[in-house]
């Protein structure tokens, strides 16, 4: 049944339409790729610490499973809604195909504010959610993981509830678990590490010297936190960083270890000694060479894209740049390494975790890091080759690329998904 698509979800499908034009895909195939296979909405009554019952709404969306079981995180955030989860699930299908791991795309979420909930409330909410969606998840069906607002502890509670219901110990139902429950080494820092490998490749192929390069980062959560350390070690200068409270700017560069200590003590980077205070969005338009948006979606829009100074943007967040902003950036010659490539390190190490759970045999930090580097570097090369070779008229743009890296990533991913759907006889 073709349900009317909302603007939010419709907007996230735009790069699919661009890729479909290049691939000459029929409109019915685009329609099939645009429609999530399943969307589950659950009501979760939770006993709060004050003794009252509060009902939360939770979601789990399976976008496409032609290439393998659905895979994608669970988000806890006040702005979570079905449309957002649908977009995030769609991006997971594309992301998993870009890096060539054998999964389709899925995503889940609960509309809640985890920052205002006690540990006990979060545990009861998570157990309720796991029980409500247990029949739809499993190591061969749909494999959740963390996303914004969730962490390894939440994965542990989810696993416990699932194990009670399924009656057998199958740790591969969820990834990014604590090490003691079969988590993988390197998973905690994997998304940031992947962003780093993508930045290295981009700097190499586009000729941006990393020594002395000025870096601005929006976000200081699980994805962003390790990135300043990796880049600083190569001689980059971290000139701007922000979190949800505010930001810090210092054109001379900031010490990432001291920044991490300061954030741990004060809960924000705002007020870091020697820096000027900034707003959360200010790193996006700060004077820098490389910009890493690693917070939430729709941060770079047609309103601020013209003010972006970076030559290279590497998307740590999912969906930080709108289509209109993409066009502005492309025309002025900035290179955007898209989310579906740049932040795929997290789900890649989730895949490694699932493989290790199935084998019951575990890899060292070095093995994980080396395998992650190979996956990220190969995927980057694939997308870059497509961006250089695709034939369209680009005479209007100040660009070394025939199409932007996002369109190229979607072209490589959509090709793989369509091939799998055709081989299954679904289209
Ligand atoms: N939430 C992460 C993402 O958006 C990781 C998903 C996973 O590991 O399954 O890619």
């Amino acid at each position: 049944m073709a349900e009317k698509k909302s603007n939010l979800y419709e907007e996230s499908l735009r790069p699919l339409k661009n890729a479909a034009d290049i691939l000459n895909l029929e409109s019915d195939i685009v329609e099939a790729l645009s429609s999530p296979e399943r969307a589950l909405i659950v009501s979760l009554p939770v006993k709060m610490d004050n003794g009252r019952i509060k009902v939360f709404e939770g979601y789990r969306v399976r976008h496409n499973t032609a290439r393998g079981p659905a895979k994608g995180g669970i988000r806890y955030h006040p702005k979570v809604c079905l449309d957002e989860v649908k977009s995030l699930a769609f991006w997971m299908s594309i992301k998993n195909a870009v890096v060539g791991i054998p999964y389709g795309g899925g995503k889940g979420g609960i509309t809640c504010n985890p920052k205002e909930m006690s540990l006990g409330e979060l545990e009861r909410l998570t157990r309720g959610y796991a029980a409500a969606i247990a029949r739809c998840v499993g190591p061969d069906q749909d494999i959740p993981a963390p996303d914004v607002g969730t962490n390894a502890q939440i994965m542990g509670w989810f696993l416990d509830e699932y194990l009670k219901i399924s009656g057998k110990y199958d740790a591969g139902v969820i990834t990014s678990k604590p090490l003691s429950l079969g988590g993988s080494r390197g998973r905690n820092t994997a998304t940031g590490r992947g962003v780093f490998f993508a930045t290295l490749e981009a700097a190499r192929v586009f000729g941006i010297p990393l020594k002395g390069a000025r870096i601005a980062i929006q976000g200081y959560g699980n994805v962003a936190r390790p990135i300043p350390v990796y880049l600083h070690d190569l001689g980059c200068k971290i000139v701007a960083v922000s979190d949800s409270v505010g930001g810090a700017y210092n054109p001379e560069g900031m010490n990432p270890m001291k920044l991490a200590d300061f954030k741990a003590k004060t809960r924000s980077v705002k007020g870091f000694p020697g820096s000027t205070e900034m707003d959360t969005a200010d790193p996006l338009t700060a004077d820098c060479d490389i910009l890493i948006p690693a917070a939430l979606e729709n941060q770079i829009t047609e309103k601020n894209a013209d003010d972006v100074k970076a030559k290279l943007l590497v998307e740590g967040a999912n969906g930080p740049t709108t289509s209109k902003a993409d066009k502005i950036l492309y025309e002025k010659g900035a290179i955007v390494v898209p989310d579906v490539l740049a932040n795929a390190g997290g789900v890649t190490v989730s895949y490694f975790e699932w493989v290790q759970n199935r084998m019951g045999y575990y890899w060292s930090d070095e093995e994980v890091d080396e395998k992650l580097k190979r996956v990220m570097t190969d995927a980057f090369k694939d997308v870059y080759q497509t961006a250089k070779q695709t034939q369209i008229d680009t005479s209007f743009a100040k660009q070394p690329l025939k199409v932007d890296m996002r369109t190229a990533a979607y072209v490589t991913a959509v090709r793989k998904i369509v091939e799998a759907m055709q081989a299954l006889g679904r289209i």
Side-chain angles (χ1 to χ4, degrees):
M1 200 175 23
E3 157 220 358
K4 195 173 158 350
K5 294 186 184 74
S6 73
N7 288 342
L8 192 74
Y9 182 58
E10 198 62 43
E11 160 71 16
S12 62
L13 294 174
R14 220 169 283 257
L16 168 67
K17 306 264 156 65
N18 298 341
D21 286 346
I22 291 169
L23 291 166
N24 282 322
L25 287 187
E26 302 287 346
S27 60
D28 49 350
I29 295 185
V30 178
E31 184 62 34
L33 284 169
S34 309
S35 314
E37 289 173 13
R38 178 189 288 193
L40 181 65
I41 305 179
V42 291
S43 283
L44 307 166
V46 175
K47 187 165 232 175
M48 304 303 278
D49 291 346
N50 64 9
R52 303 204 51 125
I53 300 290
K54 187 165 172 188
V55 182
F56 295 87
E57 193 155 274
Y59 313 90
R60 186 75 193 169
V61 173
R62 203 179 278 193
H63 172 259
N64 187 294
T65 55
R67 298 185 60 261
K71 180 87 190 87
I74 301 167
R75 179 173 292 199
Y76 286 6
H77 192 273
K79 293 219 169 93
V80 164
C81 61
L82 180 59
D83 262 349
E84 185 191 51
V85 181
K86 277 165 66 178
S87 301
L88 290 162
F90 163 66
W91 288 328
M92 289 310 298
S93 294
I94 301 293
K95 190 186 300 187
N96 294 334
V98 167
V99 283
I101 57 178
Y103 291 138
K107 202 83 173 199
I110 303 178
T111 318
C112 66
N113 188 349
K115 290 184 183 159
E116 287 174 359
M117 294 172 72
S118 71
L119 220 54
E121 288 169 343
L122 276 175
E123 176 172 354
R124 293 191 289 281
L125 176 66
T126 302
R127 288 187 183 278
Y129 177 65
I133 69 165
R135 249 168 270 149
C136 300
V137 297
D140 297 307
Q141 290 188 63
D142 183 352
I143 307 138
D147 194 75
V148 174
T150 52
N151 55 28
Q153 172 62 80
I154 290 176
M155 302 303 108
W157 293 325
F158 189 108
L159 175 65
D160 188 44
E161 211 55 37
Y162 177 82
L163 296 180
K164 282 185 210 156
I165 293 167
S166 78
K168 57 179 180 163
Y169 205 103
D170 214 336
V173 62
I174 196 158
T175 58
S176 202
K177 301 175 289 287
L179 282 180
S180 58
L181 297 176
S184 176
R185 297 203 171 272
R187 176 61 185 87
N188 236 346
T189 48
T191 313
R193 192 77 183 147
V195 169
F196 170 67
F197 290 139
T199 308
L200 288 189
E201 274 306 291
R204 191 178 63 75
V205 302
F206 297 112
I208 300 168
L210 283 176
K211 199 160 172 46
R214 295 160 309 155
I215 314 285
I217 306 177
Q218 187 203 25
Y220 202 77
N222 193 45
V223 172
R225 205 170 308 124
I227 301 173
V229 179
Y230 304 142
L231 289 172
H232 184 260
D233 284 351
L234 290 183
C236 299
K237 278 204 280 191
I238 314 300
V239 297
V241 183
S242 72
D243 53 34
S244 58
V245 177
Y249 175 71
N250 184 343
E252 301 308 320
M254 294 176 275
N255 180 305
M257 300 310 284
K258 290 192 179 147
L259 200 59
D261 283 348
F262 184 78
K263 165 85 182 179
K265 277 193 204 109
T266 66
R267 299 183 153 264
S268 175
V269 293
K270 189 173 167 183
F272 181 64
S275 73
T276 319
E277 287 188 9
M278 287 184 124
D279 284 336
T280 299
D282 289 347
L284 301 172
T285 49
D287 213 355
C288 67
D289 303 301
I290 301 176
L291 168 63
I292 303 179
L296 287 168
E297 52 264 33
N298 299 331
Q299 298 299 301
I300 306 172
T301 65
E302 77 259 42
K303 294 204 183 84
N304 59 1
D306 235 347
D307 301 326
V308 169
K309 319 250 178 344
K311 298 188 264 298
L312 173 67
L313 290 84
V314 187
E315 295 183 336
N318 288 315
T321 313
T322 65
S323 299
K324 283 189 181 141
D326 249 347
K327 194 157 178 290
I328 297 170
L329 292 169
Y330 180 73
E331 286 174 13
K332 68 182 206 169
I335 307 283
V336 180
V337 184
D339 48 4
V340 289
L341 170 62
N343 73 32
V347 71
T348 299
V349 177
S350 275
Y351 164 58
F352 296 162
E353 180 172 327
W354 178 81
V355 169
Q356 293 170 82
N357 291 154
R358 306 204 118 192
M359 293 191 296
Y361 176 70
Y362 289 83
W363 304 335
S364 65
D365 281 305
E366 292 73 22
E367 280 173 289
V368 169
D369 200 54
E370 185 246 319
K371 287 181 169 66
L372 173 62
K373 183 171 187 185
R374 191 165 345 122
V375 169
M376 292 302 299
T377 311
D378 288 353
F380 188 96
K381 285 189 179 131
D382 250 19
V383 171
Y384 176 57
Q385 284 310 326
T386 308
K388 275 201 314 190
Q389 286 161 4
T390 303
Q391 291 302 328
I392 61 160
D393 176 23
T394 51
S395 46
F396 59 93
K398 303 176 197 134
Q399 271 282 340
L401 297 172
K402 290 272 168 54
V403 293
D404 62 278
M405 292 281 282
R406 189 179 323 276
T407 307
Y410 275 69
V411 167
T412 61
V414 168
R415 216 182 252 142
K416 292 182 199 174
I417 299 170
V418 167
E419 250 174 51
M421 289 173 84
Q422 279 168 340
L424 288 166
R426 289 188 189 170
I427 51 173

